[in-house]
Amino acid sequence: MKYFILFGPPGAGKGTQATSMVEKYNLRHISTGELLRKEIAAGSELGLKAKSLIDSGALVPDEIVEGMIESEFRTVKDVNGFLLDGFPRTTAQAEALDKMLAKTSEEVTAVVSIMIPDEMIKERIKHRASIEGRADDANDDTINNRIKTYHEKTEPLVEYYKGKGKYNEIDGTGTIEEVRTKIFGMMDKF
Ligand code: ADP
């Protein structure tokens, strides 16, 4: 199985690009954000716990998302691999992922990182709020907190994966098609 990590700040266009990536390479898309929003919509205990954290722009505890990822890995077959979107988001999650994959002598194939500057993060999220109506997109404090959380907790993963020779960065400031073309050019190598 191939394990691609779709990396980048909130609003970089991960969800948008994921759709064509999973189709072209026959991957299963796992978005921890989407899985958490489903739990919230279902009103589960986990969803209730996650909601206040997500609405404040914080991360949910590592154990929760690690459990979700591992159960997805176990249940999905008939694909060439997985596209992880929004996971890992902390160094602890990256280490947990390495351990999970090591159990079956597997490893992360490559990190596809879509990069945009902070000013563009805000513009894109505001635009998305007007279309999708996500609670965590609507409020300035939440957005600022998500950007802060990204820089503090998630950005260190760039060095983590560079150190393993798995980091590939793509300029996410172009049009959807331009970014897609660059991503495909990169993924064709794996
Ligand atoms: P975005 O791509 O805009 O950052 P996501 O849909 O990926 O948004 O995630 C929404 C929220 O869900 C995050 O702000 C965070 O609170 C929570 N979340 C998603 N993935 C994780 C994760 N791997 N670890 C902790 N919290 C997560």
Side-chain angles (χ1 to χ4, degrees):
M1 286 282 200
K2 289 183 180 154
Y3 296 89
F4 288 102
I5 295 171
L6 188 52
F7 186 84
K14 299 189 292 283
T16 306
Q17 299 296 342
T19 315
S20 46
M21 294 163 80
V22 295
E23 220 171 84
K24 182 163 160 72
Y25 300 101
N26 185 28
L27 305 169
R28 165 66 174 243
H29 181 207
I30 308 181
S31 158
T32 42
E34 259 172 42
L35 291 173
L36 289 165
R37 283 189 288 278
K38 268 189 204 150
E39 294 287 339
I40 293 172
S44 70
E45 200 181 320
L46 194 159
L48 284 174
K49 210 167 157 189
K51 186 174 175 9
S52 56
L53 290 164
I54 292 178
D55 287 351
S56 74
L59 296 178
V60 305
D62 290 334
E63 310 79 65
I64 290 186
V65 284
E66 287 161 16
M68 292 167 74
I69 291 281
E70 197 157 22
S71 70
E72 291 281 314
F73 283 170
R74 273 200 300 265
T75 47
V76 175
K77 305 215 162 38
D78 301 326
V79 289
N80 293 336
F82 294 90
L83 183 64
L84 303 180
D85 169 0
F87 180 91
R89 241 181 172 94
T90 63
T91 306
Q93 290 177 18
E95 288 166 355
L97 174 63
D98 286 344
K99 276 194 199 134
M100 255 178 242
L101 298 182
K103 287 182 199 164
T104 46
S105 304
E106 293 179 290
E107 55 178 74
V108 169
T109 307
V111 176
V112 182
S113 172
I114 309 179
M115 274 302 150
I116 58 167
D118 281 6
E119 314 83 71
M120 197 175 270
I121 299 179
K122 288 192 197 175
E123 268 171 44
R124 296 247 186 111
I125 291 181
K126 287 255 167 70
H127 176 67
R128 181 168 71 188
S130 65
I131 300 170
E132 293 180 11
R134 261 172 62 176
D136 63 340
D137 281 348
N139 177 296
D140 270 330
D141 286 345
T142 303
I143 297 171
N144 286 332
N145 218 7
R146 280 161 65 198
I147 295 174
K148 188 163 166 268
T149 303
Y150 168 76
H151 287 303
E152 285 177 9
K153 306 261 172 68
T154 308
E155 210 166 36
L157 291 178
V158 172
E159 291 309 314
Y160 182 88
Y161 287 111
K162 272 187 184 166
K164 294 177 181 293
K166 295 189 189 287
Y167 185 79
N168 303 275
E169 190 168 299
I170 276 152
D171 175 6
T173 61
T175 65
I176 292 175
E177 291 73 26
E178 282 164 358
V179 176
R180 182 167 58 217
T181 305
K182 286 182 192 160
I183 292 176
F184 285 174
M186 195 229 102
M187 285 181 77
D188 280 342
K189 292 186 279 183
F190 293 95

